[in-house]
């Protein structure tokens, strides 16, 4: 019954499908278009697939009826009868909708074959703007499947060639392979945009690490930091390829996952380098950098590995999500190793260049200022540097303040964000943020539309758009299966069955049989034997009802008594524009009814399998990752210096994820596989950026909250700002890719970056100034480090034996 269970994109097996419509909304049932459609049908059935020694046609690979003829859509028979009626000048031929009668008396459902229908009274069709034809193919073995796949390709070419010769009609071909091909097409159309993104990120990374001082500028570290991320991504891709992993278009998100994590780690190391003293040896400065930055980088890397590791586990049912998480784990692990080794070595190398006062780009020794005075202006500009002997001790620690971002944060932003008059506006803005996020959160819907993960200019998008426009009046055909022997002859049971299927368009042997008995003036409440004998020997022997024999299973008992042990009917529901949501609600309603009804039945459509699996699987990776992140944060609270860090971190992650989900919904992004993977990344991205900031603030001693907020921003704000700018610039070309998958990817990642940045530079700096931890208590608390130390120095008078104790307070 596969050909009867029409189910949009989820039909199993091999098939070819085409929607034919007109540019001018013409009636597709008029003589011209009827002849055109039958001509197309003839061309499709003549398609040949050439194989060594044999040419396969549709007749060789089609699904067969009981009479060994190919199954074709009933609308083809309707059009043939309509053409014959016109040829013989018969005017009494009428097509009804959504159920019509064929010449042999059979009732057939045409709701998915006629679209944009206008009807007269009594459901008689006046016109139809679209017609859909479906050709079902066999795929019973590997050879058959290969031939069917080739036939599908030729089918699309045939339809497109046919349209070129008939430009007044528009045709939308679609096959069982279209969705897979269009899903992978995203990678091909994204190539030049990704190259643009790479060029922009390289440029900005170099600029972010540069400053006017040619010795202390670190442009090479910006480039090498990006190279570190790229090497880790390529290593992961190579490992996945060597282990037989399958590539899919969701992998496009992995470079951006690595960009957000890897670049921040490298920029944080560079920021730590700027805090070291220049009079120290390179080894000592490098050790200080690793001690200062690698602890937090190691912890955030561990968080990435845990959350994505859970996503890569068997707990995740979606294969694309599992492979994505697995690849991300491998890339993050190697990125950590490369940062420790490759980027660490690069930092040491540039440190020696700086220590020797060599140019940061050309590695040439920078001349003294008195020598530069004799050189041209452009030469002095390129070799501007500050020598340590030219600065006094008070200025030595401010050598790197000429960096634009350092200067901006320290001189302007830190004072502005902690200003008493700015704080109320930030709190008000946060309340507005929460309000809009809540509004979006209450409208979250799971994305079950597969067209959201393919490129835009593809057959899948064109077909689904036309299908939604012309054929959305009715749901897919639902199989209604009664799987136990019931008393069909009992009038109360008959009423129950009809009540369960009430409100549906029915294609039912049971209803047809009851109507058949009424037309013969026979009571429907016959004794069991008479009811069954009449069904077998009269009703099913009638040509117009003979096809119902496929829908009933008879069984003989030990006393030769025949019983109906199982049967099926087909139901179609009237739907509106929100077809998928209605279909899901309908499925749940029928399921609940099947559990409580007297008659034991099940309902099925191929769409249900996809919807069930998707509904149970789409949130699983996010749910598991959130649980693992909370678990890790809880237990690491016993390991960190202050458990309040983890409390603040958990609240920040919750606020960011809540906002991203809410604004994501308001931006027309559904909760599908891509957005769930982005939300998993959002947990880690937030921890990446906020953890060092919160740690510096919470562990700060003495002074005021405002002082430590400023200090935390000065220490870590530059690295956050640098990585954010590079990340956003890298995302911008993604918005132009003609693909629904990359559109979802861009919107989710952009929101994650924007909301996290908003928390790091506005929400946290303001809220931390008036919420715990209290710095006053810490100041009053006796600290052994701050106690006075007494040093006793013994002084001996050389002229006498007198000993003097000199007491000094340190």
């Amino acid at each position: 019954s596969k050909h009867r269970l029409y189910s949009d994109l989820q039909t199993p097996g091999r098939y070819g499908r085409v929607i034919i419509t007109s540019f001018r909304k013409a009636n597709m049932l008029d003589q011209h278009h009827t002849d055109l459609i039958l001509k197309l049908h003839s061309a499709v059935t003549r398609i040949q697939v050439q194989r060594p020694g044999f040419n396969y046609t549709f007749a060789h690979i089609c699904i067969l009826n009981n009479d060994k003829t190919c199954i074709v859509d009933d609308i083809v028979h309707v059009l043939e009868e309509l053409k014959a009626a016109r040829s013989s000048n018969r005017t009494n031929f009428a097509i009804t909708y959504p159920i019509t009668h064929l010449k042999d008396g059979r009732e057939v459902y045409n709701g998915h074959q006629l679209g944009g229908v206008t009807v007269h009274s009594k459901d008689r069709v006046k016109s139809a703007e679209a017609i859909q034809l479906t050709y079902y193919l066999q795929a019973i073995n590997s050879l058959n499947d290969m031939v069917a796949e080739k036939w599908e390709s030729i089918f699309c070419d045939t339809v497109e060639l046919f349209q070129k010769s008939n430009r007044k009609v528009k045709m939308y071909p679609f096959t069982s392979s279209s969705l897979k091909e269009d899903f992978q097409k995203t990678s091909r159309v994204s190539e030049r945009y990704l190259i643009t993104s790479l060029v922009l990120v390289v440029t900005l990374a170099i600029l972010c690490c540069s400053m006017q001082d040619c010795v202390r500028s670190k442009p090479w570290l910006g480039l090498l930091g990006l190279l570190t991320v790229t090497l880790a991504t390529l290593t992961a891709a190579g490992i996945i390829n060597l282990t037989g992993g399958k590539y899919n278009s969701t992998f496009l998100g992995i470079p951006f996952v690595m960009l957000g994590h890897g670049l921040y780690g490298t920029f944080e190391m560079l920021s730590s380098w700027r805090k070291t003293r220049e009079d120290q040896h390179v080894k000592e400065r490098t050790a200080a950098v690793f001690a200062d930055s690698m602890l937090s980088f190691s912890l955030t890397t561990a968080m990435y590995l845990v959350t994505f590791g859970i996503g890569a586990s068997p707990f995740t049912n979606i294969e694309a999500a599992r492979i994505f998480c697995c690849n991300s784990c491998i890339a993050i692990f190697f990125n950590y190793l490369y940062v420790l080794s490759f980027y660490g070595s690069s930092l040491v190398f540039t440190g020696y260049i700086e220590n020797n006062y060599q140019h940061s780009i050309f590695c040439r020794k920078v001349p003294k200022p008195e020598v530069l005075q004799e050189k041209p202006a452009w030469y002095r500009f390129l070799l501007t540097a500050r020598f340590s002997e030219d600065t006094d001790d008070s200025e030595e620690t401010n050598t790197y303040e000429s960096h634009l971002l350092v200067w901006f944060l320290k001189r302007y932003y830190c004072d502005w964000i902690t200003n008493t008059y700015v704080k109320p506006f930030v709190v008000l803005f946060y309340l507005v943020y929460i309000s809009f996020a809540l509004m979006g959160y209450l409208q979250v819907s799971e994305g079950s539309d597969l067209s959201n993960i393919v490129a835009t200019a593809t057959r899948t998008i064109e077909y689904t758009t036309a299908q939604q426009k012309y054929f959305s009046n009715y749901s897919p055909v639902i199989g209604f299966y009664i799987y136990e022997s019931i008393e069909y002859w009992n009038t109360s049971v008959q009423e129950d069955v009809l009540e369960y299927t009430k409100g549906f368009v029915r294609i039912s042997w049971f209803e047809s049989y009851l109507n058949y008995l009424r037309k013969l003036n026979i009571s429907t409440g016959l004794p069991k034997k008479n009811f069954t004998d009449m069904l077998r020997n009269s009703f099913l022997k009638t040509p117009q009802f003979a096809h119902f024999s496929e829908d009933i299973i008879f069984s003989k008992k030990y006393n030769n008594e025949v019983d109906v042990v199982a049967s099926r009917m087909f139901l179609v529901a009237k739907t509106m524009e929100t077809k998928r949501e209605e279909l899901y609600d309908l499925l749940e309603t029928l399921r609940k009814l099947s559990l409580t009804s007297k008659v034991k039945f099940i309902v099925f459509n191929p769409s249900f399998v996809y919807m069930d699996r998707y509904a149970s699987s789409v949130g699983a990776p996010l749910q598991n990752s959130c649980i693992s992140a909370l678990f890790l944060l809880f237990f690491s609270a016993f390991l960190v210096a202050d458990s309040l860090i983890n409390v603040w971190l958990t609240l920040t992650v919750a606020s960011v994820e809540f906002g991203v989900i809410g604004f994501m919904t308001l931006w027309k992004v559904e909760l599908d596989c891509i957005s769930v993977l982005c939300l998993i990344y959002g947990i880690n991205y937030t921890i990446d950026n906020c953890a060092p900031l919160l740690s510096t603030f919470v562990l700060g001693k003495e002074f005021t909250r405002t002082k430590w907020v400023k200090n935390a921003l000065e220490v870590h704000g530059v690295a956050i700002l640098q990585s954010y700018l590079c990340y956003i610039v890298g995302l911008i070309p993604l918005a132009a890719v003609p693909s629904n998958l990359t559109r979802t990817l861009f919107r989710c990642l952009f929101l994650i970056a924007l909301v996290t940045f908003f928390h790091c530079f506005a929400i946290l700096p303001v809220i931390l100034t008036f919420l715990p931890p209290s710095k006053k208590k810490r100041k009053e608390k006796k600290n052994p480090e701050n106690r006075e130390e007494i040093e006793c120095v013994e002084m001996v008078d050389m002229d006498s034996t007198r000993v003097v104790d000199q007491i000094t307070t340190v």
Side-chain angles (χ1 to χ4, degrees):
S1 64
K2 180 169 60 180
H3 63 288
R4 297 190 187 181
L5 291 175
Y6 176 88
S7 59
D8 296 348
L9 300 182
Q10 285 84 43
T11 302
R14 294 283 183 183
Y15 60 89
R17 189 173 283 161
V18 59
I19 294 176
I20 308 108
T21 184
S22 171
F23 287 106
R24 299 181 179 179
K25 295 186 177 180
N27 181 14
M28 303 307 293
L29 296 176
D30 62 25
Q31 184 172 355
H32 171 69
H33 289 100
T34 300
D35 293 342
L36 198 65
I37 293 168
L38 291 175
K39 185 179 177 183
L40 172 64
H41 170 69
S42 177
V44 169
T45 55
R46 292 198 306 270
I47 290 175
Q48 291 188 351
V49 178
Q50 296 182 352
R51 296 293 300 167
F54 194 79
N55 291 337
Y56 291 88
T57 64
F58 177 69
H60 294 110
I61 57 176
C62 67
I63 294 179
L64 302 175
N65 267 320
N66 290 336
D67 58 0
K68 303 303 180 183
T69 59
C70 288
I71 291 175
V72 294
D73 279 349
D74 295 316
I75 191 63
V76 175
H77 301 306
V78 172
L79 294 178
E80 289 173 345
E81 292 178 14
L82 181 60
K83 181 178 180 181
R86 287 183 177 135
S87 300
S88 58
N89 294 321
R90 283 192 290 116
T91 58
N92 61 345
F93 183 82
I95 303 173
T96 55
Y97 180 83
I99 291 181
T100 191
H101 293 80
L102 298 181
K103 182 171 60 176
D104 58 5
R106 285 192 298 125
E107 284 187 349
V108 294
Y109 172 73
N110 57 17
H112 296 134
Q113 297 159 9
L114 289 178
V117 175
T118 305
V119 295
H120 289 298
S121 59
K122 297 183 180 180
D123 295 332
R124 293 184 62 179
V125 176
K126 179 181 179 181
S127 64
E129 295 180 11
I131 288 178
Q132 180 169 233
L133 304 178
T134 306
Y135 301 89
Y136 294 97
L137 310 174
Q138 294 184 40
I140 53 178
N141 54 51
S142 57
L143 174 62
N144 202 265
D145 185 68
M146 184 168 55
V147 172
E149 183 179 10
K150 182 64 177 176
W151 189 94
E152 289 178 349
S153 177
I154 300 174
F155 167 78
C156 291
D157 296 338
T158 302
V159 171
E160 290 170 358
L161 186 63
F162 191 85
Q163 183 178 346
K164 288 180 181 178
S165 59
N166 300 275
R167 297 190 177 274
K168 291 184 178 181
V169 294
K170 177 63 179 173
M171 300 181 183
Y172 304 94
F174 185 81
T175 68
S176 63
S177 306
S178 296
L179 188 62
K180 179 181 177 182
E181 293 170 358
D182 295 341
F183 177 58
Q184 300 294 0
K185 188 177 180 182
T186 297
S187 304
R188 297 193 295 273
V189 300
S190 302
E191 289 176 357
R192 61 191 182 96
Y193 297 96
L194 291 176
I195 293 172
T196 303
S197 177
L198 180 63
V199 171
L200 290 175
V201 173
V202 167
T203 305
L204 193 60
I206 291 174
L207 290 176
C208 283
C209 297
S210 301
M211 51 192 294
Q212 189 176 2
D213 192 318
C214 68
V215 172
R216 294 165 183 87
S217 180
K218 298 286 187 292
W220 286 114
L221 284 185
L223 179 62
L224 292 171
L226 191 60
L227 181 60
T228 304
V229 174
T230 305
L231 286 174
T233 308
L234 292 175
T235 303
I239 291 173
I240 291 292
N241 189 37
L242 290 173
T243 53
K246 296 179 181 178
Y247 175 84
N248 61 71
S249 291
T250 59
F251 282 14
L252 287 173
I254 293 177
F256 296 96
V257 170
M258 297 306 302
L259 192 66
H261 175 61
L263 273 188
Y264 176 75
T266 57
F267 284 139
E268 185 69 27
M269 290 179 70
L270 182 57
S271 180
S272 298
W273 177 270
R274 295 194 184 103
K275 291 186 293 181
T276 59
R277 293 179 58 86
E278 291 189 1
D279 57 358
Q280 291 179 305
H281 193 272
V282 173
K283 291 182 180 180
E284 294 175 349
R285 297 182 73 180
T286 306
V289 167
F290 275 76
D292 185 46
S293 61
M294 287 311 295
L295 178 60
S296 62
F297 187 67
S298 300
L299 291 175
T300 53
T301 299
M303 185 66 76
Y304 271 92
L305 293 176
V306 169
T307 50
F308 279 113
I310 293 293
S313 69
F315 295 111
T316 302
N317 296 327
I318 303 176
E319 185 181 5
R322 190 165 58 246
I323 296 174
F324 177 92
C325 291
C326 180
N327 201 339
S328 298
C329 280
I330 297 172
I332 288 161
F333 175 73
F334 277 98
N335 178 74
Y336 182 74
L337 296 182
Y338 291 157
V339 167
L340 282 175
S341 55
F342 176 72
Y343 189 78
S345 302
S346 302
L347 186 66
V348 172
F349 180 73
T350 55
Y352 278 111
I353 291 176
E354 178 183 337
N355 214 35
N356 296 330
Y357 285 93
Q358 293 175 287
H359 197 283
S360 58
I361 299 177
F362 308 113
C363 301
R364 179 183 174 182
K365 188 78 173 179
V366 177
K368 297 281 185 175
E370 53 270 17
V371 178
L372 279 177
Q373 294 301 325
E374 304 172 1
K375 302 293 182 180
W378 64 268
Y379 191 89
R380 292 198 303 271
F381 176 79
L382 288 177
L383 275 76
T384 301
R386 199 175 193 180
F387 286 79
S388 57
E389 54 264 27
D390 297 336
T391 60
D392 54 33
D393 293 339
S394 62
E395 294 179 340
E396 188 175 352
T397 57
N398 299 325
T399 312
Y400 289 99
E401 280 191 19
S402 60
H403 190 283
L404 180 62
L405 297 180
V406 176
W407 172 79
F408 170 73
L409 285 176
K410 193 166 186 177
R411 295 293 178 89
Y412 294 101
Y413 187 79
C414 290
D415 291 330
W416 178 81
I417 197 64
T418 54
N419 187 289
T420 307
Y421 299 102
V422 173
K423 292 178 185 178
F425 292 99
V426 174
V427 173
L428 180 62
F429 191 72
Y430 183 66
L431 293 177
V432 173
Y433 160 81
I434 290 294
S435 301
F436 277 94
L438 179 62
M439 184 171 64
Y441 188 83
L442 296 175
Q443 302 175 38
V444 170
S445 61
E446 290 184 353
S448 56
D449 190 354
L450 288 174
S451 61
N452 286 337
I453 61 173
V454 299
T456 50
T458 54
R459 292 190 185 119
T460 300
I461 296 296
E462 292 177 351
Y463 172 82
T464 50
T465 303
Q467 201 277 337
Q468 184 67 24
K469 180 179 180 181
Y470 296 109
F471 299 94
S472 59
N473 291 336
Y474 291 95
S475 71
V477 179
I478 301 168
F480 183 91
Y481 300 87
I482 300 173
Y483 58 86
E484 69 174 10
S485 180
I486 63 173
E487 297 178 351
Y488 292 97
W489 59 91
N490 190 319
T491 53
S492 63
V493 174
Q494 293 170 7
E495 290 173 1
D496 287 340
V497 173
L498 293 176
E499 181 64 28
Y500 298 149
T501 59
K502 184 179 179 181
F504 291 92
V505 176
R506 296 182 288 254
I507 307 101
S508 166
W509 71 269
F510 186 66
E511 188 176 7
S512 298
Y513 180 48
L514 296 183
N515 292 334
Y516 174 78
L517 293 176
R518 292 189 186 103
K519 286 181 181 180
L520 296 176
N521 292 322
I522 299 174
S523 171
T524 57
L526 292 172
K528 177 182 178 180
K529 187 176 186 309
N530 295 345
F531 186 91
T532 308
D533 289 343
M534 194 78 175
L535 174 63
R536 294 179 62 210
N537 302 322
S538 179
F539 177 74
L540 295 179
K541 298 296 183 184
T542 306
Q544 68 187 82
F545 303 121
H547 63 285
F548 284 129
S549 59
E550 300 176 2
D551 300 335
I552 308 168
I553 298 176
F554 294 99
S555 176
K556 274 190 178 183
K557 294 186 177 180
Y558 60 92
N559 56 358
N560 290 329
E561 188 180 55
V562 177
D563 196 9
V564 178
V565 294
S567 70
R568 70 183 178 188
M569 308 165 198
F570 298 100
L571 313 176
V572 185
K574 185 80 173 174
T575 56
M576 304 297 288
E577 290 183 359
T578 54
K579 182 177 175 183
R580 295 186 181 276
E581 289 77 4
E582 289 186 19
L583 186 59
Y584 188 78
D585 293 339
L586 178 65
L587 171 61
E588 290 301 312
T589 303
L590 288 172
R591 275 185 174 158
K592 292 175 182 177
L593 183 61
S594 69
L595 297 174
T596 58
S597 65
K598 298 176 183 177
V599 177
K600 301 301 180 184
F601 68 88
I602 57 173
V603 290
F604 176 75
N605 180 274
S607 299
F608 294 171
V609 178
Y610 168 74
M611 290 169 63
D612 278 349
R613 183 175 176 80
Y614 198 88
S616 62
S617 303
V618 68
L622 179 61
Q623 180 182 354
N624 295 333
S625 296
C626 286
I627 292 172
S628 62
L630 289 173
F631 182 81
L632 194 61
L633 284 171
F634 175 75
F635 280 98
S636 63
F638 299 101
L639 303 176
V640 296
D642 196 324
S643 58
L644 202 57
I645 298 172
N646 287 23
V647 174
W648 272 110
L649 205 53
T650 303
L651 292 175
T652 306
V653 169
S655 177
V656 170
E657 289 290 285
F658 180 74
V660 170
I661 293 173
F663 285 98
M664 180 182 79
T665 305
L666 295 177
W667 207 357
K668 308 295 183 186
V669 177
E670 295 178 327
L671 196 64
D672 56 15
C673 176
I674 305 301
S675 57
V676 164
L677 292 173
C678 290
L679 289 173
I680 296 173
Y681 169 63
I683 298 171
N684 299 286
Y685 184 82
T686 306
I687 295 173
D688 237 348
N689 289 270
C690 298
L693 204 68
L694 288 167
S695 178
T696 301
F697 173 81
V698 172
L699 297 178
K701 299 171 184 177
E702 298 189 356
F703 303 115
T704 62
R705 291 192 185 97
T706 302
K707 173 66 177 176
W708 277 109
V709 165
K710 290 180 179 179
N711 187 45
L713 281 176
E714 289 173 8
V715 172
H716 303 289
V718 174
I720 296 172
L721 194 55
Q722 286 174 324
S723 64
Y724 173 78
L725 291 174
C726 292
Y727 193 66
I728 289 297
V729 165
L731 280 179
I732 289 173
L734 203 64
V737 179
S739 170
N740 290 334
L741 186 150
T742 51
R743 181 200 63 188
T744 301
L745 196 64
F746 166 75
R747 291 182 178 182
C748 291
L749 295 179
F750 179 80
L751 284 173
I752 288 168
L754 184 65
V755 173
T756 304
F757 180 79
F758 170 61
H759 278 73
C760 287
F761 279 87
I763 300 303
L764 288 176
V766 169
I767 291 179
L768 289 174
T769 57
F770 54 81
L771 288 179
S774 173
K775 301 300 178 184
K776 186 177 180 181
K777 291 180 182 178
R778 292 175 176 238
K779 183 177 180 179
E780 293 174 352
K781 186 178 179 181
K782 203 172 216 183
N783 193 337
E785 292 180 6
N786 296 328
R787 70 179 185 270
E788 289 187 347
E789 295 183 5
I790 306 300
E791 182 181 355
C792 182
V793 180
E794 184 179 349
M795 303 180 68
V796 180
D797 191 348
M798 302 300 295
D799 298 331
S800 64
T801 58
R802 188 165 52 96
V803 177
V804 180
D805 285 342
Q806 178 70 34
I807 300 176
T808 307
T809 301
V810 180

